[in-house]
Amino acid sequence: MRIGLIGTGRIGSFHAGVLARHPEVESLVVADADASRAAGVAGALGAEAAPDVTALFAHPLDAVVIASATAAHAELIARAAGAGLPAFCEKPIALDVPGTSTALTAVAEAGTELQLGFMRRFDAGYRAAREAVRSGRLGRLHTVRAATSDPAPPPAAYLPLSGGLFRDCLVHDFDIVRWVTGREVVEVYATGSDAGPAMFREAGDVSTAAALLTLDDGTLVTATATRRNGAGYDVRMELAGELDQIAVGLDDRTPLTSVEPWASAPPGKPWTGFLERFAPAYEAELDAFVRLVRGEAPNPCDGLEALAALRIAEACERSRQERRPARVDAID
Ligand SMILES: NC(=O)c1ccc[n+]([C@@H]2O[C@H](COP(=O)([O-])OP(=O)(O)OC[C@H]3O[C@@H](n4cnc5c(N)ncnc54)[C@H](O)[C@@H]3O)[C@@H](O)[C@H]2O)c1
């Protein structure tokens, strides 16, 4: 299989490494707005670097992987669709519903596949949680607690382009809540704090956020995120039902210390960040994409799934700004 990868930054260079090692990938050509960055990644992997995106699309390709900065996603998705190529794209498609819908229309009209990079769907813990809910082992769910805590904030320049904490970060939690529970979010009530470095206030963003989501069966979900968690990288989900409760992401690397005198050993070395914590999930999602391109497996996360998660994030942003609950079906 011949794959073209666009965007060789943090996540793109990681994806490039996964693809370069994949037994089904015969050739990999990469491009980046910064041609020297693409050349560096290609050189390290024995891949080919195209001088720009147009040159990449001139190659004979079977599929495209898009890991550029968010602002370029929608246009590159449409370009791949126009070329008749299946595409994998990092989240999000775009930062608003109209931009997302335009890209999805291009894909639908071309009849191509688009897989979105919600890698938590491939994490062993979240998969086990989904199975536990489906099996009935937990009984009727009453409460779900989802949390994403980054150890340190991204560069200040990233914030104004990120879409804010709900669209950039909590969107992963919104997607995985839908996927694990199999339910839709109907209403949200969200707030945030811009305490900490001035860069959050200057970007109109928040450094910590909390959302209360109501699912269509009445289950209540809290989803929290912060950019500054001194203890380490912490991504977790707890699901509590009438029969049992379980946790995803609770192990000896969870940066959480019990202060009870009888507690056992303190946590071990915390996860350093998403690339370490979710490395197997990133590999599995690209393996699923290869199988999708080969026609061997269905699409595990299409564009409509990404649109659904974005609408929840948009509703949270509206709720935060207007300081009132917001219905997800009012987002268009
Ligand atoms: N799924 C996840 O866990 C996850 C994690 C990190 C980032 N992301 C997403 O991946 C994307 C990239 O994030 P990152 O952290 O790697 O950013 P980054 O800034 O490290 O890299 C982005 C790269 O895209 C390149 N670029 C920008 N515009 C381009 C264009 N028009 N054509 C080609 N290249 C272009 C930049 O030069 C840069 O090298 C973002 O959309 C982000 O939301 C997802």
Side-chain angles (χ1 to χ4, degrees):
M1 183 177 299
R2 301 160 300 182
I3 294 192
L5 179 141
I6 305 168
T8 51
R10 282 187 310 171
I11 194 82
S13 54
F14 188 90
H15 286 333
V18 171
L19 291 167
R21 292 190 299 274
H22 196 288
E24 298 292 341
V25 177
E26 292 142 13
S27 79
L28 177 66
V29 52
V30 303
D32 192 286
D34 179 343
S36 65
R37 188 173 293 167
V41 169
L45 296 173
E48 189 178 344
D52 55 36
V53 172
T54 299
L56 178 138
F57 274 104
H59 276 71
L61 297 174
D62 299 306
V64 174
V65 170
I66 301 165
S68 66
T70 295
H73 289 184
E75 187 236 317
L76 291 170
I77 287 170
R79 207 159 163 182
L85 294 172
F88 173 96
C89 185
E90 265 308 331
K91 46 59 62 177
I93 294 172
L95 293 178
D96 60 14
V97 172
T100 304
S101 299
T102 302
L104 294 189
T105 300
V107 171
E109 286 177 351
T112 51
E113 291 285 359
L114 171 64
Q115 180 182 331
L116 264 292
F118 285 109
M119 77 295 182
R120 292 187 194 179
R121 294 181 178 217
F122 294 88
D123 174 73
Y126 284 110
R127 292 179 89 87
R130 185 176 199 248
E131 182 51 36
V133 171
R134 273 170 175 57
S135 72
R137 190 189 126 197
L138 306 182
R140 191 191 68 82
L141 280 183
H142 51 79
T143 310
V144 179
R145 291 176 284 270
T148 295
S149 301
D150 280 330
Y158 179 86
L159 291 179
L161 308 174
S162 71
L165 196 52
F166 294 105
R167 292 189 191 87
D168 185 52
C169 182
L170 274 161
V171 73
H172 280 292
D173 297 270
F174 301 150
D175 175 68
I176 207 68
V177 163
R178 291 182 65 244
W179 189 75
V180 167
T181 64
R183 314 300 317 189
E184 294 295 341
V185 177
V186 290
E187 188 184 69
V188 309
Y189 186 50
T191 188
S193 162
D194 61 10
M199 64 183 190
F200 293 103
R201 288 181 290 286
E202 287 162 2
D205 198 0
V206 291
S207 53
T208 302
L212 176 62
L213 319 176
T214 303
L215 304 187
D216 56 12
D217 64 348
T219 303
L220 295 182
V221 180
T222 59
T224 62
T226 185
R227 299 281 197 191
R228 291 166 58 83
N229 193 52
Y233 183 69
D234 187 9
V235 172
R236 267 183 290 144
M237 175 184 264
E238 295 167 10
L239 297 111
E242 288 175 346
L243 297 180
D244 199 2
Q245 68 175 339
I246 56 174
V248 178
L250 184 64
D251 59 23
D252 61 1
R253 298 191 68 179
T254 308
L256 180 69
T257 304
S258 171
V259 293
E260 302 302 341
W262 51 83
S264 53
K269 183 177 170 293
W271 300 104
T272 53
F274 54 87
L275 289 177
E276 186 191 26
R277 164 77 171 83
F278 289 108
Y282 290 123
E283 291 188 13
E285 69 176 356
L286 285 179
D287 183 59
F289 180 60
V290 167
R291 285 188 285 123
L292 172 67
V293 174
R294 287 169 60 88
E296 294 171 357
N299 192 333
C301 186
D302 66 17
L304 292 175
E305 300 288 295
L307 180 61
L310 175 72
R311 290 167 81 112
I312 301 166
E314 290 239 22
C316 286
E317 194 56 59
R318 180 179 290 184
S319 171
R320 175 180 85 85
Q321 287 179 13
E322 298 181 0
R323 306 201 67 74
R324 62 176 182 82
R327 286 192 62 86
V328 176
D329 62 10
I331 301 297
D332 48 26

